[in-house]
Amino acid sequence: MNVKLTVISTALSAMAVTTACSDGDYNDRMMLSDLVSIHSVDQTAGTTFTFQRYDDSPVITLVDPQLTIKEDYVGSRALLYYYPENGEPYSSGNISAAGITIVNSDTAVVRPISRYNWDASPVFLNSVWRSGRYLNFRMRLDYSDEPRRFGLVVDSLTLTDPEPQLYLVHDLNGSPDNFLRESYASFDIEKVWNQPSCLSVAVHVNDSNLKKDIYKFTK
């Protein structure tokens, strides 16, 4: 039996924002892109983003004083393209945002994996990495006009094991194969990662690209 996860349509992002920059101002500067959390929005102070580059690296705080977006997006995960004002990559400070795309994000759910047809539809995985409390995926997913089931499930039977088992669920609900579109997804795994018994997690992915089924992340 399938238990409902997040049902998403083919829109791989909920919101896209682009900000215009003068060609003369930024054509000799380095543009970066990172998966970030929208930390706060202030109509006078601008927008603040936070992220960890990988694993448990220090938290980086970026501020665009000129950018304001809807406060509804605070807490969302986003792919941010930006110019660091100090010219230094991966350091806190002011930035000029060049573009923002909200990505699929959710909290990993803890349930018996036997309830799900988790590997019904493969994904074309490019990379998977942990940044702090988040497990992030860059992949390509089949385009479809119909909703699908997509999410990250922690098998409840393994929650207190030294290595809990996590599963990337992707089910097109019978929709035919179609062309692939690039997508990012970010899941909060704090509830399993912070278990006292947890030493590592194993992430199961039905992947049509890298031909690898399990990815392990160790504390």
Side-chain angles (χ1 to χ4, degrees):
M1 179 180 71
N2 281 325
V3 176
K4 183 177 178 181
L5 283 179
T6 301
V7 178
I8 63 171
S9 66
T10 54
L12 300 183
S13 63
M15 182 273 285
V17 175
T18 58
T19 60
C21 299
S22 166
D23 291 340
D25 291 339
Y26 294 108
N27 58 12
D28 61 343
R29 302 181 70 177
M30 171 178 53
M31 185 171 74
L32 302 175
S33 63
D34 287 292
L35 204 56
V36 302
S37 296
I38 301 176
H39 179 73
S40 63
V41 177
D42 187 282
Q43 296 304 311
T44 57
T47 301
T48 300
F49 307 93
T50 59
F51 75 102
Q52 289 169 268
R53 189 179 178 188
Y54 56 85
D55 297 335
D56 295 307
S57 59
V59 175
I60 297 169
T61 301
L62 307 174
V63 181
D64 187 333
Q66 306 301 318
L67 177 66
T68 56
I69 59 178
K70 292 181 179 179
E71 292 187 5
D72 293 348
Y73 292 117
V74 171
S76 298
R77 298 282 284 168
L79 182 62
L80 174 68
Y81 296 88
Y82 64 98
Y83 297 93
E85 291 295 323
N86 61 11
E88 296 292 331
Y90 306 113
S91 63
S92 296
N94 284 2
I95 63 166
S96 294
I100 307 169
T101 300
I102 300 297
V103 304
N104 297 306
S105 61
D106 206 345
T107 299
V109 298
V110 181
R111 292 175 186 151
I113 193 60
S114 59
R115 297 181 181 178
Y116 296 90
N117 191 12
W118 73 271
D119 57 352
S121 306
V123 303
F124 189 96
L125 186 67
N126 295 115
S127 57
V128 53
W129 71 102
R130 184 179 68 85
S131 55
R133 63 193 290 178
Y134 297 102
L135 194 63
N136 310 298
F137 297 84
R138 181 187 172 203
M139 60 200 151
R140 293 190 222 170
L141 299 177
D142 283 274
Y143 179 89
S144 173
D145 287 328
E146 300 299 325
R148 71 188 75 191
R149 287 181 172 83
F150 181 75
L152 188 67
V153 173
V154 182
D155 186 2
S156 58
L157 299 181
T158 68
L159 179 61
T160 57
D161 289 354
E163 186 173 84
Q165 305 297 301
L166 283 61
Y167 296 80
L168 184 67
V169 176
H170 185 221
D171 187 353
L172 287 168
N173 289 322
S175 296
D177 293 343
N178 209 327
F179 66 89
L180 300 176
R181 295 181 61 178
E182 186 170 71
S183 177
Y184 286 81
S186 186
F187 298 96
D188 187 338
I189 62 168
E190 186 175 36
K191 66 176 64 174
V192 58
W193 190 256
N194 287 347
Q195 288 286 325
S197 56
C198 179
L199 301 178
S200 62
V201 296
V203 184
H204 300 254
V205 183
N206 181 10
D207 176 30
S208 62
N209 179 32
L210 302 177
K211 308 302 181 184
K212 184 177 178 180
D213 298 326
I214 301 175
Y215 296 83
K216 295 188 178 184
F217 296 87
T218 303
K219 287 187 174 180

